[in-house]
């Protein structure tokens, strides 16, 4: 057994909260440039230029890319040969979030109760997904998620007979309904299969994949490509003001499902697509 | 892009009438931040016939809640939030003389009607360009509801704050016009 103090997890979570919120991934920056070159709308080009400049300022000055520094969504892959020492895993993670958001000058956007909306004051609790995996390491991924794009996400229990076309129609309809609200250009995390809850999780997990990569299964890789083209033909464009760049990528994750079911979920991610990982 | 106009609140009828969809503007002067919670309180005061913490005549509200300022900076990152959430409240503030709103995303028909009636414009700032927009903020002062944290009403003095007129007093709407222009006809 490898022993790891949970204090170490707190420190890493704290660091990753700050890093994810200030340093945009190279894959997203690359996509800004690629789509900027293809954008036909002058206003759309101007907006993409602003996003490139914004990411540069955030990185240089170590300030948040976006003021909505999000809900701290955290994925932990815990090696089964690891023995954690110290306070509980969840408490250690939340302490990391608390310190990251407080000491990192990030915005606190979480209310204690969904209806009696009082701010928790330190952006806790996190949304924590833990998976036990083989090995003696811990992988921590943090993906702060803004409210604007999360609010436009949808899930639908389709009929198996709806098939691939039904899923595609649902994705396109979701982007149409979202329009200008999720700060386009967006990235689409699409979950297909599993159960009602699993499907939404797949859509979120899909967003962790690097932009510009394809699904390993050629069938789904083609679907990603086709959906991206269709979505970008909608004309919504940067900020919803018209243009070719509505989405920078479509990322699909699938899971086996029940003979009676075909769940589909779309988690909309804005261009401030933040996620950082560390392996301990 | 259209040539850049500079506007400075308080805005008069003529200033607003002069603004049309697609105009890229620089705002220089004072604007006020307010989000959901502050709007709720303001409208409660209006409904109760009580005095508001500030006079909105000719002013511009920016739908935004900044991150805390790092030491040595006047403000943290401060991009726009989704305006639609303020739609239930906006008409009452327009009636109070509010002349401009800055946010992101399309407004509901109740706001469009109130904008025509009370002569006001709606500007979009680039959602997510929060570090860039912060560069245009010269000074900040909390003027009401400090207990709301990021949602408090802040008076921002800005210089060359970048915005685009997206819905004007004539019913023009860049969200609809722009998308129509770039939509491929065979798109589903
Ligand atoms: S949707 Fe994204 S870019 Fe827009 S305000 Fe929220 S976090 Fe920022």
């Amino acid at each position: 057994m490898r022993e790891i103090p949970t204090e170490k997890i707190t420190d890493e979570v704290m660091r990753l909260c700050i890093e994810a919120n200030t340093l945009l991934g190279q894959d997203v920056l690359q996509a800004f440039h690629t789509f900027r070159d293809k954008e036909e709308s002058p206003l759309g080009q101007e907006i993409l230029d602003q996003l490139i400049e914004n990411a540069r300022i955030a990185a240089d000055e170590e300030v948040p890319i976006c003021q909505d520094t999000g809900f701290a969504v955290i994925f932990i892959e815990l090696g089964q040969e690891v023995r954690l020492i110290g306070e509980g895993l969840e408490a250690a993670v939340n302490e990391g979030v608390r310190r990251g958001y407080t000491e990192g000058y990030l915005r606190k956007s979480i209310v204690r109760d969904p209806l009696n909306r009082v701010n928790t004051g330190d952006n806790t609790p996190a949304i924590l997904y833990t998976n036990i995996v083989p090995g003696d390491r811990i992988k921590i991924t943090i993906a702060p998620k803004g409210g604007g794009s999360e609010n436009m996400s949808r899930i639908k229990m389709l009929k198996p007979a709806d098939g691939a076309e039904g899923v595609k129609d649902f994705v396109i309809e979701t982007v149409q309904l979202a329009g200008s609200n999720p700060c386009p250009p967006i990235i689409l995390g699409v979950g297909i299969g599993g159960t009602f809850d699993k499907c939404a999780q797949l859509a979120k997990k899909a967003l962790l994949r690097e932009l510009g990569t394809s699904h390993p299964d050629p069938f789904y890789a083609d679907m990603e490509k086709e959906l991206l083209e269709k979505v970008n033909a909608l004309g919504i464009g940067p900020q919803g003001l018209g243009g070719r760049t509505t989405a920078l990528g479509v990322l699909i994750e699938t899971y086996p499902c029940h003979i009676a079911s075909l769940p589909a979920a779309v988690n909309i991610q804005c261009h401030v697509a933040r996620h950082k990982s560390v392996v301990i | 892009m259209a040539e850049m106009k500079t506007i400075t609140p308080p805005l008069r009828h003529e200033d607003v009438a002069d603004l049309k969809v697609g105009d890229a503007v620089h705002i220089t002067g004072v604007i006020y931040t307010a989000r959901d919670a502050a709007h709720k309180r303001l409208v409660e005061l209006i409904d109760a016939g009580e005095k508001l913490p500030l006079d909105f005549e000719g002013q511009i509200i920016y739908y935004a809640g900044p991150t805390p300022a790092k030491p040595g900076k006047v403000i943290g990152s401060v991009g726009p939030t989704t305006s639609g959430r303020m739609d239930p409240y906006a008409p009452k503030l327009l009636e109070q003389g509010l002349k401009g709103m800055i946010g992101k995303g399309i407004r509901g028909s109740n706001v469009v009607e109130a904008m025509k009636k009370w002569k006001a414009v709606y500007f979009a700032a680039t959602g997510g360009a929060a570090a860039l927009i912060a560069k245009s903020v010269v000074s900040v002062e909390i003027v009401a509801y400090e207990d709301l944290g990021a949602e408090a009403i802040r008076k921002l003095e800005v210089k060359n704050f970048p915005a685009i007129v997206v819905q004007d007093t004539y019913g023009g709407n860049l969200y609809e016009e722009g998308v129509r222009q770039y939509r491929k006809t065979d798109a589903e």
Side-chain angles (χ1 to χ4, degrees):
Chain A
M1 282 307 246
R2 180 174 169 223
E3 295 195 342
I4 298 178
T6 50
E7 262 166 41
K8 175 81 182 145
I9 294 174
T10 298
D11 290 346
E12 291 295 349
V13 166
M14 172 186 168
R15 186 180 64 78
L16 290 176
C17 283
I18 299 172
E19 194 181 303
N21 271 302
T22 52
L23 205 61
L24 199 59
Q26 276 305 323
D27 56 333
V28 184
L29 278 175
Q30 181 56 50
F32 285 168
H33 285 283
T34 309
F35 282 88
R36 163 69 173 82
D37 292 344
K38 288 193 284 188
E39 181 55 60
E40 291 164 25
S41 149
L43 184 54
Q45 293 172 354
E46 162 76 18
I47 289 166
L48 289 164
D49 283 341
Q50 285 186 2
L51 300 185
I52 293 167
E53 176 63 4
N54 185 63
R56 190 194 60 77
I57 295 171
D60 282 1
E61 302 187 6
E62 293 177 40
V63 294
I65 307 158
C66 183
Q67 79 289 339
D68 184 353
T69 48
F71 213 137
V73 181
I74 297 177
F75 298 84
I76 291 187
E77 288 176 18
L78 180 64
Q80 62 195 14
E81 289 157 44
V82 171
R83 198 170 101 82
L84 295 173
I85 312 287
E87 67 177 332
L89 178 64
E90 211 171 313
V93 165
N94 282 328
E95 182 57 22
V97 170
R98 181 174 299 121
R99 287 186 14 212
Y101 276 74
T102 310
E103 292 168 35
Y105 300 95
L106 306 178
R107 200 180 75 182
K108 289 80 183 169
S109 314
I110 307 303
V111 290
R112 170 79 51 215
D113 180 280
L115 294 177
N116 301 313
R117 308 182 66 86
V118 178
N119 200 300
T120 62
D122 57 12
N123 219 58
T124 64
I127 301 276
L128 178 60
Y129 295 111
T130 311
N131 256 340
I132 310 288
V133 298
D136 66 354
R137 288 159 189 255
I138 305 177
K139 183 176 181 191
I140 306 174
T141 300
I142 159 148
K145 190 66 171 70
S149 54
E150 193 72 359
N151 283 350
M152 297 296 124
S153 303
R154 288 165 87 221
I155 186 161
K156 188 171 184 183
M157 304 306 280
L158 295 163
K159 295 185 186 72
D162 295 330
E165 287 312 309
V167 173
K168 286 188 257 179
D169 288 349
F170 174 63
V171 173
I172 291 163
E173 181 188 86
T174 300
V175 176
Q176 286 263 44
L177 286 172
S180 53
N181 286 332
C183 293
I186 54 178
I187 298 163
L188 299 168
V190 180
I192 310 172
T195 48
F196 178 76
D197 50 325
K198 176 76 180 177
C199 189
Q201 233 189 84
L202 288 173
K204 175 131 283 136
K205 203 175 137 217
L207 291 170
L208 299 180
R209 204 170 90 210
E210 205 166 298
L211 266 187
T213 59
S214 303
H215 194 283
D217 178 338
F219 176 81
Y220 287 107
D222 283 348
M223 191 186 275
E224 289 178 347
K225 230 175 111 203
E226 182 189 340
L227 277 172
L228 184 61
E229 265 168 37
K230 286 202 165 140
V231 162
N232 283 335
L234 294 173
I236 295 170
Q239 297 297 302
L241 297 172
R244 289 279 159 258
T245 318
T246 302
L248 303 171
V250 178
L251 306 165
I252 298 176
E253 277 279 321
T254 65
Y255 198 79
C257 70
H258 192 281
I259 47 173
S261 305
L262 176 55
V266 183
N267 196 193
I268 297 189
Q269 167 65 60
C270 58
H271 58 82
V272 186
R274 300 160 279 203
H275 50 88
K276 293 278 184 251
S277 300
V278 72
V279 176
I280 304 177
Chain B
M1 277 179 68
E3 141 199 14
M4 191 74 75
K5 288 183 189 168
T6 297
I7 58 168
T8 297
L11 303 179
R12 298 159 303 168
H13 274 311
E14 310 82 276
D15 302 324
V16 172
D18 205 31
L19 295 170
K20 309 222 169 47
V21 289
D23 287 353
V25 299
H26 272 160
I27 302 169
T28 292
V30 167
I31 61 176
Y32 295 91
T33 65
R35 293 174 40 107
D36 314 82
H39 273 79
K40 185 160 181 268
R41 290 191 189 176
L42 290 171
V43 166
E44 277 165 8
L45 288 179
I46 293 171
D47 289 346
E50 284 173 36
K51 194 170 177 298
L52 294 175
L54 62 129
D55 180 8
F56 283 105
E57 186 63 47
Q59 301 302 333
I60 298 177
I61 288 185
Y62 180 24
Y63 300 140
T67 59
K70 282 178 85 169
K73 296 203 181 273
V74 294
I75 198 164
S77 297
V78 61
T81 193
T82 307
S83 308
R85 293 196 319 272
M86 267 50 82
D87 283 358
Y89 309 113
K92 291 208 167 147
L93 290 169
L94 293 169
E95 194 176 344
Q96 297 286 319
L98 183 72
K99 282 279 172 256
M101 299 161 285
I102 312 169
K104 66 172 174 95
I106 203 161
R107 309 307 299 268
S109 53
N110 63 328
V111 179
V112 172
E113 287 314 310
M115 283 168 60
K116 281 194 216 161
K117 183 167 176 198
W118 305 105
K119 300 280 174 255
V121 279
Y122 171 50
F123 305 93
T126 299
L132 177 82
I133 293 171
K135 291 268 176 204
S136 66
V137 179
V138 182
S139 71
V140 182
E141 186 192 329
I142 293 186
V143 292
Y145 312 144
E146 187 158 10
D147 61 299
L148 292 179
E151 296 209 51
I153 298 185
R154 287 172 170 80
K155 177 180 172 181
L156 307 187
E157 193 193 328
V158 295
K159 187 161 189 268
N160 294 337
F161 179 107
I164 300 153
V165 179
V166 284
Q167 292 182 224
D168 61 21
T169 49
Y170 307 99
N173 184 329
L174 191 61
Y175 289 111
E176 285 163 7
E177 293 161 28
V179 174
R180 212 177 298 129
Q181 190 182 344
Y182 289 96
R183 189 185 172 89
K184 290 194 177 154
T185 40
D186 60 346
E188 287 171 61

